[in-house]
Amino acid sequence: MSVARRTREMSASEERVDVLIVGGGPTGLVLSALLSRFGVDSLLIERNPSTTDHPQAHVVNTRSMEILRGLGLAEAVHAEALPMGKGGFVRWVTSMAGKEFARLRLTPDPERLGELAAASPAIPASCAQDRIEPLLAELAAKGPGRVAFDTELVSLEEGSDSVSALLSSNGREFRVRARFVVGCDGAASTTRRQVGIPMEGPTALAHVVGIYFHADLEELASRRPAVLYWTLDSVTPGTFIAMDGRRRWVFHAAWDDERASLESYTEERCQEILRRAIGIDAKPEIRSVRPWTMTAQVAERYREGRVLLAGDAAHRFPPTGGYGMNTGIQDAHNLAWKLATVLDGRAGPGLIDTYEAERRPVGRDNCDWSARNAAGLAAVIGPGAARQAARLERGEIGFEALSAEVQALADREARHFSAIGRDLGFVYGEGGALVDDGSESPAREDPDLEYLPHAKPGCRAPHFGLVREGELHSSLDAFDGRLTLVSAKDPSGAWRRAAAEQVVPVDVLAVGRDAEDPSGTFAALYGVEDGAVLVRPDGHVAWRVRALPEDPAASLRTALRTILRTPEGDPR
C-alpha cells in the first residue's frame, strides 16, 4: 500500500471515533444513518460545503427503496420524485419537440404490477440525487453520528488497532483516530488512492457533459411523457432526464474531450445545445455544468487493513440500468451491521472480511451488466445516435425505416429497464456471513427479469404480509436492523428458548403465534416445517434448518459462531 503501515503512538489530542466515513454522497450518508441506528459513534466528512446541487443519479430501485423505507424516508423520497404519470416511457426523438423514432413503455401491465407488489412493499422511484442527499443528511445529522462538511481527507496512517486520519477544514489541519475508515468518496476516491487499491476495467468508455437546467417544458413533456428522451441528432446527440417532468431537467451531451475543453461549454454554447435538443425557442436557465467519464471498473479489493471502500470508490458503472447509486446504498446496508456488531464485541473481526466476499461479486456482476447494456444501446445513444441521424440527413435511410431499426433495438434492450430479478434476486455465497444449507436457488428462465422468492441462505429474505394487532405489516419490517429467528408457530416454545440461551441478542418471530400470516404462505415460501430461518439485520438469510433439531439451542449457537466469526471457546 502507498501509506506506510506502521504502529505509532497516537497523539492524545486526536479525536477518537469508531468509524470515519469519507464522502457525503448517498452511500456515505446511508452508512452514517444506519450506524447511528446501531448506536455507533461515527464521523462523516465531506469536502464540499453542502450536499450536491447537481442532480446526478436518479434511479432508486426496489431494494434501495426498501432500505430507505427502513430509515423512514420512503414517503419523502417519493414526494421529491418524478411523478409516476410523467415517467412512464423512454423515447428516442429528433428533439423533445420533434419526431419520435421509438419508445418503450415502462409502466407495467396489471399482471406484472401484481407480481411486483407481491415481491416487495417498496415502490421504486426516479428521484434525483440532489433531492435524496438532503433527506439523508438531515437524518444522519440527528446522530449519534456526526456530519462535517467542508472537511477533506489529507492522509491516512494505519496503526495496530486503529487508523489516524489527517483532515483539513477551512485551512486548519487536525487528526482523527478511528477504529475503521470507510471510503465513500466517489470515483476519484482519495481513500482508495491512499491505501493503494487499484481499479480493474476500462478507464473511459465515453465522456459526457451533464447540463442541469430549469425551463418550463411541462406542456411539451405532457404530450409525450417520459423519464428519458434520447435525441438522435448529428450535432447534439444526448439524453434528457426528467427530474420533475415540468421545470427541472438534465441534458447529458456526448463530449469529445480531445476536441473541446470543458471551458468551451460556456453559458451561450450550452443554451445553443439545449435549444437545438429541445426543438423550440426555449429559454433554459443553466444551473450547473458537470463533466463525467463513463467507466466500467471495480476495485481489486474492498479492504486494506482497517480501511474499506464502498459506493463509487469501489465500483464505477455505466448509467445504463441505474445500478451505480443503488449498489452503493446496498454496500452501506451490508457493511453497517457488520461494523456495529464487531465494534460492540458481539462478533469476531473476521465478520468484516465477509463484506468484500459478499459485495464485490455483486459489484462485479452489476458492472459487467451495466457495460453490456451500454454496448447494446451504443448504436442509438451518444456518438451512435449522431451517426444514425447523419444517415438520415444524407438520405441513406428513410425516417420510417430508421424508426423500425431503432424500435427493434430498443425492444431488444428493454430488459434492463425492469430487471426485478437482478434487483431482488442476488444471493451471497462463499465466504459470506451465512451457513450454506446445500440447497439450490430456484431455476429462472431469465435471472434478470424473473424474481422467484426463496429462503436459501444468502438471499434477501422474502417479503410476505403479517398481521399484528389487526394491522398489516411486511415481514421486512420485522427483520430490519436485528438478528431475527423466524419459525412457524413454535407451539412448544423450543425456538424461543433457544434464542434466549444465546449470548448474542436474537429476536424471535413465531409466525402464526406472534403475528398472523393471512396468506398462509410462510412455511412453503421459507422452506421450513417446524424448523427456523435466521435473518440478518440487513434482511438476508443467514441460516436455515427445515426441521426442529434435537438441540435447537446448540444448533443456533453453532450457526451464530460461523456467521459472526467468533472463535471456538469465545463466550460470544
Side-chain angles (χ1 to χ4, degrees):
M1 58 189 290
S2 61
V3 175
R5 297 191 61 182
R6 61 186 184 274
T7 304
R8 60 188 286 278
E9 288 296 322
M10 300 295 184
S11 166
S13 65
E14 287 179 319
E15 180 182 355
R16 301 187 179 207
V17 296
D18 285 331
V19 181
L20 173 66
I21 303 168
V22 184
T27 301
L29 289 167
V30 167
L31 181 59
S32 174
L34 289 170
L35 288 175
S36 285
R37 191 168 63 165
F38 290 120
V40 174
D41 177 27
S42 70
L43 172 64
L44 181 151
I45 62 168
E46 167 55 47
R47 64 184 179 86
N48 290 306
S50 65
T51 56
T52 185
D53 60 357
H54 193 79
Q56 295 176 236
H58 68 102
V59 175
V60 187
N61 68 15
T62 304
R63 184 60 182 137
S64 293
M65 190 58 79
E66 288 177 348
I67 296 167
L68 297 177
R69 180 176 178 272
L71 289 170
L73 295 179
E75 288 187 10
V77 170
H78 277 292
E80 296 285 356
L82 177 69
M84 290 186 182
K86 295 186 176 182
F89 291 87
V90 173
R91 301 179 189 272
W92 282 261
V93 294
T94 57
S95 67
M96 275 193 70
K99 294 181 178 180
E100 180 177 277
F101 291 101
R103 66 177 178 268
L104 289 176
R105 184 182 180 87
L106 302 183
T107 306
D109 58 35
E111 181 180 354
R112 181 66 167 169
L113 193 61
E115 292 174 2
L116 298 177
S120 176
I123 301 171
S126 176
C127 184
Q129 190 171 326
D130 65 334
R131 293 296 191 256
I132 292 175
E133 285 189 10
L135 298 173
L136 288 168
E138 182 179 1
L139 178 62
K142 292 179 179 179
R146 290 158 294 150
V147 177
F149 289 95
D150 260 331
T151 306
E152 63 182 312
L153 174 67
V154 178
S155 64
L156 295 171
E157 293 181 5
E158 187 169 352
S160 59
D161 61 355
S162 57
V163 181
S164 178
L166 179 63
L167 309 180
S168 175
S169 179
N170 297 315
R172 180 179 69 91
E173 291 191 344
F174 59 99
R175 286 192 175 275
V176 169
R177 179 182 179 182
R179 293 174 67 183
F180 290 97
V181 174
V182 185
C184 305
D185 45 346
S189 171
T190 299
T191 310
R192 187 183 64 239
R193 187 173 66 252
Q194 283 283 318
V195 296
I197 298 178
M199 300 294 283
E200 298 176 343
T203 58
L205 300 176
H207 297 284
V208 182
V209 170
I211 306 171
Y212 169 39
F213 68 98
H214 288 182
D216 186 0
L217 303 179
E218 185 171 22
E219 183 179 351
L220 185 62
S222 64
R223 295 201 295 266
R224 286 197 308 229
V227 62
L228 301 175
Y229 300 83
W230 268 302
T231 60
L232 273 66
D233 185 87
S234 60
V235 178
T236 58
T239 314
F240 284 102
I241 304 177
M243 296 299 148
D244 61 5
R246 185 178 62 84
R247 182 168 177 75
R248 282 176 18 96
W249 303 86
V250 172
F251 185 71
H252 291 294
W255 173 33
D256 186 341
D257 65 332
E258 294 183 357
R259 296 186 180 183
S261 66
L262 181 62
E263 290 71 25
S264 68
Y265 283 85
T266 62
E267 171 93 13
E268 292 73 22
R269 184 179 182 191
C270 289
Q271 292 275 0
E272 181 182 339
I273 289 170
L274 292 175
R275 280 194 294 270
R276 181 178 177 100
I278 294 169
I280 60 174
D281 189 21
K283 295 178 174 58
E285 175 192 346
I286 311 297
R287 307 288 291 188
S288 56
V289 180
R290 303 278 175 87
W292 55 278
T293 300
M294 186 189 300
T295 64
Q297 295 185 306
V298 177
E300 184 183 86
R301 56 192 184 280
Y302 280 19
R303 182 181 185 185
E304 182 66 46
R306 289 179 171 271
V307 180
L308 301 111
L309 302 178
D312 285 358
H315 41 71
R316 309 191 295 222
F317 307 159
T320 38
Y323 269 76
M325 178 172 67
N326 289 295
T327 306
I329 289 172
Q330 292 159 38
D331 289 342
H333 195 226
N334 180 283
L335 183 57
W337 76 272
K338 295 176 180 179
L339 286 170
T341 310
V342 169
L343 287 165
D344 71 8
R346 289 181 294 152
L351 180 61
I352 303 299
D353 292 330
T354 69
Y355 167 65
E356 178 178 321
E358 292 182 347
R359 291 305 300 170
R360 190 174 185 278
V362 173
R364 177 77 270 169
D365 196 40
N366 285 346
C367 181
D368 292 344
W369 186 74
S370 300
R372 192 215 68 81
N373 292 339
L377 287 171
V380 292
I381 62 175
R387 288 190 290 272
Q388 299 291 4
R391 289 173 66 202
L392 187 63
E393 290 173 5
R394 291 192 298 264
E396 295 174 8
I397 189 171
F399 186 87
E400 290 186 5
L402 181 56
S403 294
E405 287 185 12
V406 177
Q407 187 66 62
L409 189 148
D411 290 341
R412 187 189 73 198
E413 297 299 322
R415 55 188 293 107
H416 77 252
F417 293 101
S418 181
I420 189 67
R422 174 169 294 274
D423 188 349
L424 299 180
F426 61 92
V427 180
Y428 299 140
E430 185 176 355
L434 53 92
V435 179
D436 190 3
D437 68 355
S439 64
E440 296 291 333
S441 298
R444 292 176 288 172
E445 185 175 331
D446 190 325
D448 289 328
L449 299 186
E450 187 179 5
Y451 171 64
L452 296 177
H454 62 98
K456 172 182 169 61
C459 76
R460 162 191 167 275
H463 153 73
F464 64 97
L466 287 170
V467 174
R468 279 178 166 165
E469 298 179 353
E471 293 187 0
L472 182 64
H473 301 271
S474 169
S475 58
L476 304 188
D477 302 330
F479 309 148
D480 192 31
R482 57 186 68 85
L483 277 167
T484 306
L485 190 66
V486 192
S487 67
K489 292 191 176 180
D490 190 25
S492 68
W495 286 117
R496 192 171 299 277
R497 290 192 298 274
E501 290 183 27
Q502 308 307 312
V503 176
V504 176
V506 178
D507 284 6
V508 176
L509 174 63
V511 178
R513 178 176 175 177
D514 299 324
E516 295 302 316
D517 169 23
S519 66
T521 60
F522 165 72
L525 184 62
Y526 277 67
V528 295
E529 298 167 2
D530 54 357
V533 172
L534 182 66
V535 183
R536 305 182 334 189
D538 64 353
H540 280 255
V541 175
W543 175 67
R544 175 174 63 174
V545 58
R546 296 179 185 275
L548 185 70
E550 185 176 335
D551 188 340
S555 296
L556 179 58
R557 187 176 302 111
T558 300
L560 285 168
R561 283 178 175 162
T562 300
I563 295 157
L564 300 179
R565 301 302 196 263
T566 50
E568 191 68 33
D570 190 309
R572 291 171 296 191

